Amino acid sequence: MSPERADAVVVGGRCAGSATAIALARAGRHVVVLDRVAFPADTISTHLLWPSGVAELQALGALDRVRTLGAPPLRHALAGGSGHTVRARFPAIDGVDHALCVRRAGLDAALLATAREVGADARERARVTGLVREGGRVTGVRWEDDVGEERELHAPLVIGADGRRSTVARLVGAEAPLRSRRSGRACFYAYWRDADPGWRDVAAQWRVGSELGTAFPCDGGLVLVLLQPSGERAEEFRSDLEGTYRASVAAIPDLAERLRGSELASKVRSATGIESYFRRAAGAGWALAGDAGHFKDPVTAQGIRDALRYGRLLGDTAAPLLDDPVRLDGALRAWARRRELECLEVYQWTDRLARAEPMTPLEVELYRRAARDERLASEFLDVFCRVRLPSRLLTVRRLVSLAAGALRRGHGGSRLAVARAIRGEAAIALADLRERRAVRSAPHPGLAAPEREPSRGPMQDQGPRWTRERDHAVSPRY
């Protein structure tokens, strides 16, 4: 068969792929999405969308469709640990003041339906088997349809949005990461039939020792209960998955109390051997969106939001340049660098939370103060919502104050043990700062900077600063 032609091919139709396809199709481009599964289809996920992620659904035009799935708006957040409980309301971002926890089968199907609605050609049970190249550029894909017939599809841009085990990343030689960090945690989750309506608007997390458990109400009258124990316990879970999962829930007293009267309603799913990374994410005629190019441990639940946001930005960046290969390649590299610069600090912060260790003396003191200070609790939540960088929460002045408080109260044992723990945290913070400076000072790989996107309401994605209506604080949006 003679090759088909399109303006862009997106390999993978879940969050990142659909977001990219929506942006391209809205710009009038003929975009074809290829995915090896038929939707709706489940996938391993932490599910949670902070308000910044829900705002991305809104920007894509998919929020109303997602809301019909029935996930309750989560307007409050709770974090408990070491005898302290931090509570806060979510900030409003582009008019969205709540989080959502949506099961992935419904979420991904809703996003793909939105892509089709705006003109994307989405093909299911379509497996990509190879790339087409011409003069050193990627110029299309070879793929098999649902009856095993191989076809060719040519386009000036091929986008891999096909997850951590990306076929496109492997085929372009970008599978090995530029930087990576092994998580100290594993991930086990299941759905419970929620028995307590009083918790249906609260996203909650508790830490006990090195154990971490969450309860996120989701669609279908269910609550997602996700555990992230030390990766060293993975073998224990493998020997008796459900039994160990139930025992681990019971070992977190506040989580067990939250679930009192609730019944386990699904099998337990797992992810082990987790590694966070940045890959080389752009080249001549190709780019890697979502987890294909960058992945963070699920402990901070940032993956879906970043897949939507940077998929959308990729589509907006590429759409006007598809007929100019030189400018397109430069813009793709500039887009990849933007994602790296904006995500690097939260990648480092996530890695620190993924160490599967008891709370540090500084964390205990931070929880103690945030439990008593509404403004500090809001700033703490802003970091998860991606409207405040971790370094803007944990400034040098605040770190010194937290360290003094931890030493005074003896969090974690003797003053000597606390001092040693603080020194260790300071060394990690200094190493992370050096890494950020090295990345920022590296030569810019782009030949053309991505165009600024238009204003989307009270918050403007036109640079690194925005104004939040709640307290008029100027903070980074990333």
Side-chain angles (χ1 to χ4, degrees):
M1 300 180 65
S2 59
E4 292 181 85
R5 296 193 176 275
D7 292 326
V9 178
V10 179
V11 181
R14 295 190 184 273
C15 297
S18 287
T20 308
I22 289 168
L24 288 165
R26 278 180 174 172
R29 291 299 191 171
H30 175 206
V31 54
V32 177
V33 181
L34 304 175
D35 200 294
R36 61 183 180 82
V37 304
F39 291 87
D42 203 3
T43 189
I44 298 290
S45 174
T46 48
H47 301 55
L48 189 66
L49 282 156
W50 305 102
S52 52
V54 181
E56 287 299 327
L57 291 177
Q58 179 175 265
L60 290 165
L63 183 54
D64 288 343
R65 183 176 269 111
V66 171
R67 279 182 171 148
T68 64
L69 299 172
L74 307 176
R75 303 191 184 279
H76 300 86
L78 180 151
S82 295
H84 307 291
T85 301
V86 181
R87 296 178 175 86
R89 285 187 64 94
F90 284 110
I93 299 174
D94 289 357
V96 175
D97 64 354
H98 61 275
L100 287 176
C101 180
V102 189
R103 287 179 291 173
R104 287 296 299 274
L107 175 65
D108 294 348
L111 284 164
L112 195 61
T114 303
R116 284 186 168 122
E117 184 178 67
V118 297
D121 178 359
R123 305 176 188 182
E124 301 169 54
R125 293 195 176 94
R127 186 173 70 91
V128 170
T129 59
L131 298 178
V132 180
R133 289 182 170 87
E134 183 178 337
R137 295 186 61 79
V138 172
T139 57
V141 299
R142 288 187 292 275
W143 63 284
E144 289 182 354
D145 60 20
D146 57 355
V147 296
E149 184 171 355
E150 188 168 272
R151 304 176 178 222
E152 279 193 10
L153 178 55
H154 292 185
L157 175 61
V158 172
I159 295 165
D162 46 347
R164 288 184 291 165
R165 296 176 178 85
S166 169
T167 296
V168 176
R170 175 175 54 81
L171 292 173
V172 298
E175 189 173 25
L178 297 173
R179 66 173 60 85
S180 64
R181 299 190 181 192
R182 178 71 64 174
S183 174
R185 297 187 182 275
C187 181
F188 302 90
Y189 70 85
Y191 304 105
W192 295 63
R193 189 70 58 189
D194 202 352
D196 193 340
W199 282 90
R200 292 296 288 170
D201 68 343
V202 180
Q205 172 192 283
W206 293 276
R207 293 173 67 180
V208 175
S210 62
E211 303 292 299
L212 183 151
T214 69
F216 301 146
C218 60
D219 49 303
L222 303 173
V223 54
L224 173 74
V225 179
L226 183 145
L227 305 179
Q228 283 203 264
S230 167
E232 297 176 353
R233 295 189 60 206
E235 192 58 41
E236 179 186 350
F237 275 82
R238 288 190 193 100
S239 63
D240 179 11
L241 184 56
E242 183 176 324
T244 306
Y245 173 83
R246 287 181 177 273
S248 299
V249 169
I252 304 176
D254 289 328
L255 176 58
E257 177 63 22
R258 160 68 178 90
L259 296 175
R260 186 170 57 171
S262 300
E263 297 180 355
L264 190 64
S266 74
K267 67 179 183 179
V268 180
R269 303 197 67 177
S270 63
T272 58
I274 300 170
E275 181 181 60
S276 301
Y277 55 78
F278 286 91
R279 287 176 174 147
R280 182 168 62 97
W286 62 270
L288 300 178
D291 291 352
H294 168 53
F295 176 77
K296 289 181 287 294
D297 187 278
V299 70
T300 54
Q302 301 295 324
I304 298 176
R305 180 267 187 189
D306 281 357
L308 297 174
R309 176 172 176 77
Y310 294 103
R312 176 176 62 82
L313 293 177
L314 174 57
D316 288 344
T317 296
L321 303 175
L322 291 173
D323 303 314
D324 187 335
V326 173
R327 292 186 64 208
L328 173 64
D329 292 349
L332 294 176
R333 289 191 290 269
W335 163 84
R337 180 168 173 82
R338 174 180 180 175
R339 179 175 64 178
E340 181 181 31
L341 292 174
E342 292 183 355
C343 292
L344 181 57
E345 187 170 333
V346 77
Y347 165 86
Q348 295 171 332
W349 167 67
T350 297
D351 177 69
R352 293 172 75 175
L353 294 179
R355 289 180 297 179
E357 298 173 355
M359 293 175 66
T360 69
L362 292 179
E363 286 179 309
V364 175
E365 181 65 12
L366 175 63
Y367 271 56
R368 188 194 72 81
R369 295 187 185 187
R372 294 160 173 78
D373 183 337
E374 181 180 347
R375 185 177 181 84
L376 179 57
S378 296
E379 292 180 9
F380 182 59
L381 185 57
D382 282 350
V383 175
F384 286 87
C385 295
R386 304 292 286 279
V387 294
R388 187 181 301 272
L389 287 162
S391 58
R392 293 287 298 274
L393 171 69
L394 299 175
T395 61
V396 172
R397 181 176 180 179
R398 179 167 281 161
L399 284 170
V400 170
S401 177
L402 292 174
L407 284 167
R408 186 165 55 252
R409 293 175 179 83
H411 297 320
S414 68
R415 291 173 63 90
L416 179 60
V418 173
R420 286 174 176 166
I422 291 171
R423 283 200 300 270
E425 290 298 302
I428 293 172
L430 182 59
D432 285 346
L433 177 60
R434 287 172 175 164
E435 181 181 38
R436 293 198 299 273
R437 286 177 173 172
V439 171
R440 292 190 188 110
S441 64
H444 196 295
L447 300 178
E451 296 181 3
R452 290 180 172 181
E453 57 183 318
S455 168
R456 292 192 291 110
M459 292 174 50
Q460 298 183 0
D461 278 330
Q462 297 183 340
R465 298 167 67 83
W466 66 280
T467 302
R468 178 155 49 85
E469 291 179 319
R470 187 180 68 196
D471 56 12
H472 302 290
V474 178
S475 306
R477 174 90 184 273
Y478 62 101

